[in-house]
Amino acid sequence: MEMTFRWYGEDDPVTLENIRQIPTMRGIISAIYDVPVGEVWPVERIQKLKDTIEASGLRLSGIESVPVHEDIKMGKPSRDQLIENYKQTLRNLGECGIDMVCYNFMPVFDWTRTDLAYELPDGSNALIFDEEVAKKMDPVNGELSLPGWDSSYTKEEMADIMAEYSKIDDEMLWDNLEYFIKEIIPVAEEAGIKMAIHPDDPPYSIFGLPRIITGKDAVERFLDLYDSPNNGVTLCVGSYASDPKNNTIEILRYALERNRVNFVHARNILLKEGKSFEESAHPSEYGSIDMYEVIKALSDYDWEGPIRPDHGRMIWGETGRPGYGLYDRALGATYLSGLWEALQKDKK
């Protein structure tokens, strides 16, 4: 298991120097954030990012993410050129020695939360999703907005894209995903890159949009689209657990048995009424996920891939990018590493 940390580049208030000082930290998960979606990432930019990270004593362990253009998700005629661009980006990443890429196939919104700084009983604050608040939000009229919404869309553009997605059901989105996967995975195999699709977050339909990477059946169907170790998943335990119907440990062990877990996001959530949830501290006692069982599953399969402590609370007065402060994620990393060490020593 390789402990990693997400870094948002030179503008991130959490510096590589900060990250390097976290015990057991080995790698960085990052991306090039200023190349427009759908365009090719230049080799020079990728190499510069890698060199910067390696100069700090860490490894560029993976990319999160290379975004998938909405035209690909909607199956528009323009998708073929966009997919060719995506393939070239994968080739360029492979040329620079990058071996893992996380991505998602969520329409319009990468993730959905209703409060970025909800105060928890201990005085820290965290991301939460309140089902009732979300039901009152309208992405077209813009009367309310969600953190994480793509602010690059004008009101008119948002109305247009939502209207287009109203004609696309789950099966059509599956068809478009299959088309994409069958095009890119052969290139990923040649480039030596393990692709890792992230689940929908949360894993159910919101605002009438189709969402398909939602649970165990979806993982099985997805892996069957193209049977290759390079076609794998990001096992985000917090995302899958956001749907009370999901057995997250079962999903994890299923994907491990198939050798298709290419990346792990480890964060805990506390399920509330209905489909509402709060993001919590990482240890099991604070949330609804048994984090010991998560790490035990990885240990049982001698898993060697990258894992990162996903999302943290803001604690000790820290401010910054919601969910991506230094302190709580650092605590999460050392907690996860402690579980791993104990489990590894129990094997001997």
Side-chain angles (χ1 to χ4, degrees), residues 12-69:
D12 195 330
V14 179
T15 66
L16 290 172
E17 182 181 11
N18 295 150
I19 298 168
R20 182 68 180 87
Q21 295 173 27
I22 301 169
T24 73
M25 194 56 59
R26 303 287 183 263
I28 291 293
I29 302 296
S30 193
I32 297 175
Y33 296 100
D34 58 355
V35 174
V37 176
E39 294 188 11
V40 176
W41 290 15
V43 171
E44 298 77 15
R45 296 289 308 280
I46 298 167
Q47 191 61 50
K48 181 181 178 182
L49 175 65
K50 183 181 179 185
D51 291 346
T52 298
I53 290 166
E54 289 182 348
S56 73
L58 296 161
R59 183 177 93 90
L60 180 52
S61 303
I63 296 295
E64 184 177 355
S65 58
V66 179
V68 180
H69 198 281

Side-chain angles (χ1 to χ4, degrees), residues 168-269:
I168 298 173
D169 61 17
D170 286 1
E171 286 305 311
M172 294 169 69
L173 190 61
W174 271 112
D175 288 344
N176 296 339
L177 175 57
E178 180 175 5
Y179 186 93
F180 175 67
I181 289 299
K182 289 183 174 178
E183 287 288 324
I184 68 161
I185 297 302
V187 175
E189 290 173 329
E190 294 169 8
I193 294 175
K194 290 186 174 182
M195 302 299 293
I197 194 168
H198 191 284
D200 300 338
D201 185 10
Y204 37 77
S205 178
I206 294 176
F207 312 124
L209 292 166
R211 287 199 163 188
I212 56 177
I213 307 299
T214 55
K216 184 174 179 291
D217 289 345
V219 170
E220 181 176 1
R221 179 173 177 176
F222 171 77
L223 296 180
D224 287 344
L225 293 179
Y226 196 106
D227 189 12
S228 167
N230 298 79
N231 183 40
V233 299
T234 296
L235 211 304
C236 180
V237 295
S239 292
Y240 282 117
S242 300
D243 186 340
K245 296 184 296 185
N246 281 336
N247 183 328
T248 303
I249 306 303
E250 180 184 1
I251 296 170
L252 172 59
R253 286 188 171 273
Y254 171 77
L256 285 166
E257 183 64 29
R258 292 190 62 168
N259 190 29
R260 297 295 183 269
V261 177
N262 291 341
F263 189 25
V264 172
H265 286 180
R267 62 175 159 89
N268 215 334
I269 60 149

Side-chain angles (χ1 to χ4, degrees), residues 41-44 46-47 50 87-99 187 190-193:
W41 290 15
V43 171
E44 298 77 15
I46 298 167
Q47 191 61 50
K50 183 181 179 185
K87 290 177 184 178
Q88 189 57 50
T89 292
L90 294 181
R91 294 186 187 101
N92 292 351
L93 288 165
E95 182 179 330
C96 294
I98 311 303
D99 57 12
V187 175
E190 294 169 8
I193 294 175

Side-chain angles (χ1 to χ4, degrees), residues 132-153:
E132 294 306 312
V133 172
K135 286 178 180 178
K136 299 174 185 176
M137 292 180 167
D138 184 347
V140 175
N141 293 323
E143 295 168 359
L144 292 169
S145 64
L146 282 172
W149 282 13
D150 189 340
S151 58
S152 66
Y153 290 120

